[in-house]
């Protein structure tokens, strides 16, 4: 690991020796993982492996009992709250799509834009050309332009997933954490989502959790397999899926 | 406020509401003062005072709707802010009595003489000046709400837990204000007011003016609420209500938003209480009773939370029913009726009166649009379909 001035790692995201337990149950066990700037990483692992919990730790929802979590080599994420971490440029899509159901799709994106988020700023907010253009572009990307004035609650499950990815785009973060983006999508939609994430990855660092192996294969990136809160295997999808321990975990003992 | 904010915040129901309140605010006082008493169109003074009370309740309801309907904060202690505003006004009115009290003490209100107070407590100073009292009407509830909210929201107390501690807050104030040595007249509270700004509080003209002012305050409170909920901040509030943690992950400081609306709402409740007191002629600790705050929440539920107009309407409708029933043979059953009303509304009209009406209007609009579209389609083919 290279030591740079002021920073201990070149990685954008650096987790080392992280432990979390819930009432004595060790959800995350000595987890170490690094993500280089510009990288896209796929995370796989059986149910309950701790994938979502890992994202909770990175985004400040869960505080680890032990371990280091650094963003950009020097920012200790374990000391910050969700709002602060979001402001640093870490965006997140939830496993269960969470959009603001009683508001329009356009308003969902408007809320996600990374502009002034202070009370005063929003109270006296007046839209700008730049903002509406950005919203238009995101709507285009997620193919919801025609539905812009519909309530987000009326969208299908797959469309909600896309809207949430759109919100991530509007947020314009440095690092995107995407939890199970293709759950509930058709094959075509899954393929489109893979294309979209690859497109996003041209500019941003992305971490994707997914169970769908065809999708992971299509992404064609380095894969990390988690099991019982720790890294079981890391490498290309072929390396990981032929790893004996991984097969054992997936097939059950 | 810029015209931009005005146009944005006035939709049809908001405009209707404002016109009605402004109309009543002008016509009722005029009818009371100018028409000969006993004429069919003359509104008697006791009704003017009663309507004035409703207007104050409507402001309280708006303040609750702002936090509950738009931000999901269910305060079951908003009566406390109302009562604090009321007490601040009551203190001013007490100081106006001067030497006209039973004991004729020029400085000390009667209850202090009776309880052998050697001098005016420090926190009563300044209340002989109207501007100071008016400031306190807003400041005291606002400050309490700010401190309370700062502690509660920063510790992320939400939902039922928050509701319970707001109840505890108003209950604690109830107990404190009951005490004679607390300096606010104990059990009896503050009463026997003589004048306000030099005008006799009992006079018809004063009552009519107070009513008109209450309507004006209701209009201003409504406009403030509309400006808030139609701004981008309003969208953030709804986002917090519907998915609080999602809002945090987008980089919003949820506790600041809650603190802002909670404090604003408390200030509005304080103003409502201050207008209420001279019209009913008394303020006592029973205003802090937890039941009062719960009743106010029921008004909002009945009228329709998250609609503002509904909250105000609910306050008037429920209080009219209360006035009607508690003055008849059904009086002992009023609380049961209120409870039943709440259960019925929750089960049958979960969106309240205005919410249900809006939903109905929207669905009708949608079917009309669909009909028009299908008619247009049919036109293209040939025979128009008869309307259903
Ligand atoms: N707040 C919590 N309290 C208690 N246990 C928790 C909590 N959050 C997660 N867990 C537990 O930690 C383990 C890891 O959960 P996590 O949601 O991270 O798994 P996952 O890998 O995302 O699984 P899935 O593929 O099903 O989404 C699970 O056994 C879960 O029950
Ligand atoms: Mg998960």
């Amino acid at each position: 690991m290279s030591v740079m001035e002021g920073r201990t790692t070149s990685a954008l995201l650096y987790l080392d020796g992280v432990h979390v337990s819930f009432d004595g149950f060790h959800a995350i066990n000595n987890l170490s993982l690094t993500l280089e700037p510009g990288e896209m990483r796929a995370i796989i692992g059986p149910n309950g492996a701790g994938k979502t919990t890992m994202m909770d730790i990175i985004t400040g929802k869960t505080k680890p009992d032990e371990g280091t979590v650094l963003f950009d080599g020097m920012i200790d994420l374990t000391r910050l709250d969700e709002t602060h971490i979001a402001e640093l440029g870490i965006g997140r899509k939830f496993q269960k799509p969470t959009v603001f159901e009683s508001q329009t799709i356009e308003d969902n994106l408007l809320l996600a834009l990374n502009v002034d988020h202070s009370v005063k700023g929003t109270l006296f907010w007046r839209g700008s050309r730049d903002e509406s253009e950005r919203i238009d572009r995101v709507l285009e990307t997620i193919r919801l332009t025609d539905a812009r004035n519909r309530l987000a609650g009326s969208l299908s499950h797959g469309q909600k997933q896309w809207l949430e990815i759109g919100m991530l785009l509007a947020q314009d973060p440095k690092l995107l954490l995407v939890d199970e983006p293709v759950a509930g999508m058709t094959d075509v939609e899954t393929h489109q989502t893979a294309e979209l994430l690859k497109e996003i990855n041209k500019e941003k660092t992305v971490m994707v959790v997914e169970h769908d192996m065809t999708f992971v294969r299509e992404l064609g990136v380095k894969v990390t397999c988690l099991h019982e809160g720790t890294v079981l295997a890391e490498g290309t999808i072929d390396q990981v899926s032929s790893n004996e321990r991984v097969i054992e975990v997936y097939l059950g003992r | 406020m810029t015209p931009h904010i005005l146009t944005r915040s006035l939709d049809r129901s908001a405009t209707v509401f404002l016109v009605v309140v402004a109309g009543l605010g002008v016509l009722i006082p005029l009818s009371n003062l100018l028409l000969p008493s006993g004429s069919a169109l003359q509104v008697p003074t006791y009704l003017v005072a009663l309507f004035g009370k409703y207007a104050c309740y409507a402001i309280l309801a708006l303040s609750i709707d702002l936090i509950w309907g738009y931000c999901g904060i269910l305060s079951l202690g908003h009566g406390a802010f109302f009562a604090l505003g009321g007490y601040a006004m009551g203190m001013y009115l007490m100081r106006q009595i001067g030497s006209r009290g039973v004991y004729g003490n020029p400085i000390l209100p009667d209850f202090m003489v009776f309880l052998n107070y050697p001098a005016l407590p420090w926190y009563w100073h300044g209340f002989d000046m109207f501007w100071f009292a008016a400031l306190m009407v807003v400041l005291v509830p606002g400050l309490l709400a700010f401190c309370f909210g700062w502690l509660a929201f920063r510790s992320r107390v939400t939902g039922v837990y928050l509701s319970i501690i707001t109840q505890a807050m108003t209950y604690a104030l109830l107990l404190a204000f009951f005490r004679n040595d607390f300096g606010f007249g104990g059990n009896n509270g503050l009463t026997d007011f003589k004048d306000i700004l030099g005008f006799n509080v009992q006079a018809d003209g004063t009552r009519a003016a107070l009513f008109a002012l209450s309507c004006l305050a209701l209009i201003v409170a409504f406009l403030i609420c509309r400006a808030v909920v139609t701004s981008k901040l309003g969208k953030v509030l709804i986002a917090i209500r519907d998915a609080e943690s999602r809002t945090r992950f987008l980089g919003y400081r949820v506790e600041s938003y809650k603190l802002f609306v909670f404090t604003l709402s408390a200030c509005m409740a304080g103003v409502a209480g201050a207008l209420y007191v001279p019209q009913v002629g008394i303020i006592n600790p029973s205003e802090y009773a937890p039941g009062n705050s719960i009743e106010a929440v029921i008004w909002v539920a009945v009228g329709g939370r998250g609609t503002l107009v509904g909250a105000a309407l609910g306050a008037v409708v429920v209080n009219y029913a209360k006035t009607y029933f508690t003055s008849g043979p059904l009086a002992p059953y009023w609380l049961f009726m209120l409870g039943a009303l709440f259960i019925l509304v929750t089960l049958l009209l979960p969106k309240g009166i205005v919410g249900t009406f809006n939903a109905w209007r929207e669905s009708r609009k949608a079917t009309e649009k669909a009909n028009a579209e299908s008619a247009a389609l049919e036109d293209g083919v040939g025979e128009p379909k008869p309307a259903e």
Side-chain angles (χ1 to χ4, degrees):
Chain A
M1 197 178 311
S2 66
V3 178
M4 295 168 66
E5 281 178 38
R7 49 193 296 164
T8 49
T9 163
S10 67
L12 183 67
L13 181 69
Y14 173 85
L15 278 79
D16 189 37
V18 178
H19 284 268
V20 173
S21 61
F22 298 112
D23 305 321
F25 169 73
H26 295 274
I28 297 288
N29 259 315
N30 195 19
L31 175 67
S32 303
L33 187 134
T34 52
L35 227 71
E36 294 300 323
E39 187 182 348
M40 167 137 73
R41 176 76 58 90
I43 311 281
I44 61 169
N47 292 112
K51 305 179 295 291
T52 301
T53 308
M54 175 176 72
M55 293 195 166
D56 287 345
I57 293 166
I58 299 167
T59 53
K61 188 177 175 198
T62 302
K63 296 284 166 221
D65 304 328
E66 245 178 79
T68 316
V69 183
L70 292 180
F71 181 62
D72 231 357
M74 40 202 210
I75 303 164
D76 180 0
L77 295 181
T78 61
R79 293 166 175 277
L80 305 176
D81 67 5
E82 300 97 315
T83 313
H84 204 133
I85 292 173
E87 281 168 349
L88 285 176
I90 300 184
R92 172 172 188 185
K93 191 203 92 58
F94 288 79
Q95 178 164 354
K96 177 179 170 292
T98 358
V99 295
F100 303 119
E101 310 233 335
S102 64
Q103 307 203 49
T104 63
I105 288 151
E106 196 176 336
D107 283 348
N108 270 269
L109 295 175
L110 175 66
L111 284 167
L113 283 180
N114 61 336
V115 292
D116 187 357
H117 280 179
S118 69
V119 169
K120 207 173 135 210
T122 51
L123 184 59
F124 298 106
W125 172 88
R126 319 181 64 162
S128 70
R129 268 286 277 289
D130 175 56
E131 285 183 20
S132 43
E133 277 169 15
R134 278 177 63 192
I135 292 177
D136 288 347
R137 245 177 290 141
V138 173
L139 282 169
E140 201 74 34
T141 314
I142 59 173
R143 298 158 205 258
L144 287 173
T145 307
D146 292 336
R148 64 192 302 160
N149 293 321
R150 266 171 60 194
L151 296 185
S154 70
L155 294 178
S156 72
H157 191 80
Q159 284 174 315
K160 279 184 194 166
Q161 302 266 40
W162 276 60
L163 175 56
E164 215 181 346
I165 294 173
M167 288 165 77
L168 269 181
L169 291 174
Q171 211 179 333
D172 197 24
K174 291 192 194 122
L175 170 65
L176 285 80
L177 307 175
V178 190
D179 202 348
E180 305 204 7
V182 300
M185 284 191 181
T186 62
D187 288 352
V188 178
E189 286 171 334
T190 302
H191 169 72
Q192 288 168 344
T193 308
E195 293 298 315
L196 177 60
L197 285 178
K198 280 195 265 184
E199 187 63 35
I200 292 170
N201 180 233
K202 285 182 183 159
E203 288 175 31
K204 303 188 184 309
T205 313
V206 184
M207 180 192 274
V208 194
V209 165
E210 194 42 78
H211 285 289
D212 186 327
M213 285 304 160
T214 356
F215 172 79
V216 173
R217 200 168 279 280
E218 201 176 345
L219 289 179
V221 296
K222 188 168 168 187
V223 177
T224 298
C225 177
L226 293 191
H227 176 56
E228 290 176 351
T230 193
V231 175
L232 195 65
E234 214 164 66
T236 65
I237 179 76
D238 291 323
Q239 285 167 350
V240 170
S241 55
S242 59
N243 181 306
E244 275 179 25
R245 290 164 72 199
V246 173
I247 295 172
E248 201 177 306
V249 163
Y250 268 96
L251 296 180
R253 270 150 274 201
Chain B
M1 255 172 235
T2 65
H4 164 74
I5 291 183
L6 271 185
T7 49
R8 185 190 63 200
S9 39
L10 294 183
D11 61 3
R12 205 169 68 182
S13 61
T15 317
V16 170
F17 175 81
L18 289 176
V19 168
V20 168
V21 175
L24 292 174
V26 173
L27 292 179
I28 291 182
L30 285 183
S31 127
N32 171 257
L33 296 176
L34 299 182
L35 296 177
S37 79
S39 109
L41 287 176
Q42 200 247 6
V43 181
T45 305
Y46 83 93
L47 275 185
V48 175
L50 186 68
F51 293 157
K53 221 170 86 171
Y54 291 171
C56 297
Y57 287 148
I59 301 174
L60 175 61
L62 281 183
S63 78
I64 292 175
D65 197 24
L66 182 64
I67 55 169
W68 185 38
Y70 290 89
C71 195
I73 303 170
L74 176 54
S75 165
L76 293 179
H78 245 51
F81 303 123
F82 182 85
L84 281 171
Y87 266 97
M89 178 56 85
M91 287 162 81
Y92 163 77
L93 295 169
M94 287 308 268
R95 300 284 317 262
Q96 294 309 297
I97 298 172
S99 50
R100 286 170 292 174
V102 178
Y103 298 104
N105 189 313
I107 302 289
L108 295 187
D110 277 348
F111 77 87
M112 290 190 191
V113 181
F114 181 73
L115 293 170
N116 295 321
Y117 274 66
L120 204 63
W122 62 267
Y123 46 83
W124 273 77
H125 287 281
F127 279 93
D128 49 334
M129 293 171 285
F130 183 79
W131 69 265
F132 182 82
L135 194 67
M136 290 302 135
V137 159
V138 182
L139 221 57
V140 173
L143 203 66
L144 175 65
F146 186 86
C147 297
F148 180 92
W150 193 77
L151 291 169
F153 301 139
R154 211 182 42 134
S155 327
R156 301 198 181 172
V157 181
T158 53
V160 188
Y161 300 99
L162 187 91
S163 303
I164 290 172
I165 59 170
T166 54
Q167 278 264 286
M169 173 191 73
T170 194
Y171 191 63
L173 284 167
L174 171 78
L175 296 181
F177 276 75
F178 253 126
R179 297 170 59 94
N180 280 331
D181 54 8
F182 201 56
F184 297 96
N187 188 9
N188 298 322
L190 312 176
T191 186
D192 290 330
F193 309 134
K194 300 273 187 279
D195 23 75
I196 179 166
L197 289 169
F199 300 101
N200 179 357
V201 286
Q202 307 280 359
D204 285 0
T206 317
R207 289 194 173 279
L210 282 169
F211 170 77
L213 274 176
S214 304
C215 290
L216 183 66
L218 177 57
I219 289 174
V220 172
F222 181 79
L223 285 174
I224 292 176
C225 288
R226 281 295 296 180
V228 168
V229 304
T230 54
S231 69
K232 185 175 174 188
L233 185 135
K235 297 185 203 295
V236 179
L237 295 182
I238 295 175
I240 293 172
R241 179 192 74 189
D242 292 348
E244 177 167 335
S245 91
R246 186 77 187 90
T247 318
R248 282 184 209 282
F249 287 111
L250 286 179
Y252 290 97
R253 209 149 270 297
V254 167
E255 52 276 22
S256 310
Y257 281 85
K258 287 187 172 179
L259 193 55
F260 169 75
V261 270
F262 192 66
T263 307
L264 176 65
S265 159
C267 294
M268 279 168 42
V271 171
L275 285 161
Y276 173 83
V277 166
Q279 300 187 78
V280 297
I282 183 169
I283 172 86
N284 63 31
S286 71
E287 293 298 335
Y288 289 107
N292 281 18
S293 298
I294 295 175
E295 251 189 84
V297 167
I298 296 179
W299 310 336
V300 178
V302 168
R305 64 185 277 225
T307 60
L308 295 179
V309 174
L313 187 72
V316 174
V317 168
V318 177
N319 278 295
Y320 176 75
K322 184 179 183 177
T323 311
Y324 183 79
F325 287 115
T326 51
S327 59
L330 290 172
Y333 307 108
W334 166 246
L335 272 183
F336 295 104
M337 286 156 66
L338 186 68
L341 178 70
F342 184 59
I343 293 169
L344 281 178
V345 165
T346 315
L347 292 180
L348 302 178
L349 284 183
K351 291 177 185 158
I353 300 170
V354 171
T356 308
F357 175 75
N358 285 347
W360 171 78
R361 209 174 51 183
E362 239 148 63
S363 75
R364 207 187 51 169
K365 234 189 267 169
T367 42
E368 258 170 28
K369 201 175 143 204
N371 283 346
E373 270 166 16
S374 67
L377 264 179
E378 306 256 333
D379 272 352
V381 181
E383 284 172 32
K385 205 170 127 195
E388 281 165 46

